[in-house]
Amino acid sequence: IIAAQSQYKEVEIERRKLRAARERSRLTFELASTLSATLNYKKVLKAVLEVGEKGLQELGQDRASQVGAVLLFGHRDLRIAASRHLSSPERSIAFQGKEGALADALTIAEPVVVEDPIRDPELSKLTSMQSCKQAIVVPLRAGFESFGVVIFGSSQPDVYTEDLVSLLTAICNQAIVALQNAQLYQDLLDEKERIAAVEEDARKKLARSLHDGPTQSI
């Protein structure tokens, strides 16, 4: 009987691993499909938080127990570019990324799981973290360039298992590619507008030259 019970447990563990792997694949594919359909960076960030939240919900959490934010580098600091379940005042907070989990994630370029995030020197700036028992900081990095981080917080402890960390890392890796594509597209739009402005300025100068020159003489 003991041997049979042990074998049953092993089978059940393998089934759970298989279900988790399938769910990771499904959510990653869902994100990739969403990101490939848009070149708007705001939609990209929104999709990252939505799919990350779905991954958390697979563990039976309700939406209200989750906090999510994407922090991107500005000129000198990290600013919240997208968020879920943060108050308006919180969305205007700036972070230096030089202490605690933010600094660790940016330095080692790997996800960092935080117990009691309200004790973290920088994450504690978010009042929403007061209700969180655990948080994770995932860097947004391409090569040697850091774009920022994604933060998720949960009101339940021991949420960020190895499987969930892998899922969130895959989500952020997909986001980086999408953000780069969105940036390239925006650069093309800006260049198109610049060229159009130069052409319009040239037409105005030509019109003035004709008016003040040959046309005036005639």
Side-chain angles (χ1 to χ4, degrees):
I1 294 176
I2 295 176
Q5 290 177 339
S6 178
Q7 185 176 7
Y8 174 78
K9 288 181 180 179
E10 291 179 0
V11 171
E12 186 61 25
I13 290 173
E14 290 302 319
R15 285 178 178 174
R16 290 177 183 176
K17 288 182 179 180
L18 181 59
R19 284 196 296 268
R22 288 176 177 173
E23 188 59 29
R24 286 201 308 272
S25 298
R26 184 185 68 78
L27 289 170
T28 304
F29 177 77
E30 180 179 328
L31 177 67
S33 299
T34 301
L35 297 184
S36 63
T38 181
L39 288 171
N40 184 313
Y41 88 94
K42 291 184 179 180
K43 291 182 179 180
V44 170
L45 301 181
K46 182 180 178 181
V48 169
L49 295 177
E50 287 179 348
V51 177
E53 189 172 63
K54 286 183 179 180
L56 290 169
Q57 288 173 0
E58 292 300 319
L59 299 175
Q61 297 186 79
D62 58 85
R63 297 171 67 86
S65 68
Q66 301 164 24
V67 175
V70 180
L71 278 58
L72 298 181
F73 277 110
H75 294 293
R76 296 181 179 179
D77 48 29
L78 287 162
R79 295 281 180 167
I80 297 177
S83 66
R84 292 179 75 82
H85 311 302
L86 293 185
S87 64
S88 295
E90 288 179 291
R91 291 196 289 270
S92 62
I93 296 174
F95 301 83
Q96 296 302 311
K98 296 180 179 179
E99 296 182 273
L102 292 181
D104 292 342
L106 291 169
T107 300
I108 66 176
E110 291 182 3
V112 174
V113 176
V114 187
E115 307 296 337
D116 295 324
I118 195 61
R119 298 177 181 273
D120 186 271
E122 293 210 64
L123 296 183
S124 58
K125 293 181 179 180
L126 298 172
T127 55
S128 298
M129 284 293 172
Q130 292 180 1
S131 61
C132 293
K133 296 292 190 297
Q134 195 178 49
I136 184 171
V137 181
V138 186
L140 292 171
R141 189 180 181 92
F144 295 103
E145 184 177 3
S146 291
F147 290 84
V149 298
V150 179
I151 300 171
F152 285 102
S154 172
S155 62
Q156 299 182 19
D158 304 322
V159 165
Y160 300 104
T161 61
E162 184 178 344
D163 287 335
L164 187 52
V165 171
S166 296
L167 171 63
L168 295 178
T169 301
I171 289 173
C172 290
N173 288 340
Q174 289 279 350
I176 283 296
V177 176
L179 285 172
Q180 289 177 316
N181 290 339
Q183 182 61 56
L184 288 173
Y185 179 69
Q186 187 60 49
D187 289 345
L188 288 174
L189 289 180
D190 292 343
E191 181 64 14
K192 179 181 177 181
E193 292 179 359
R194 188 190 68 79
I195 292 173
V198 170
E199 290 179 345
E200 180 63 22
D201 186 55
R203 281 195 293 269
K204 289 180 180 179
K205 287 183 179 179
L206 179 60
R208 287 196 298 269
S209 297
L210 290 173
H211 180 272
D212 296 337
T215 303
Q216 189 67 31
S217 299
I218 292 173

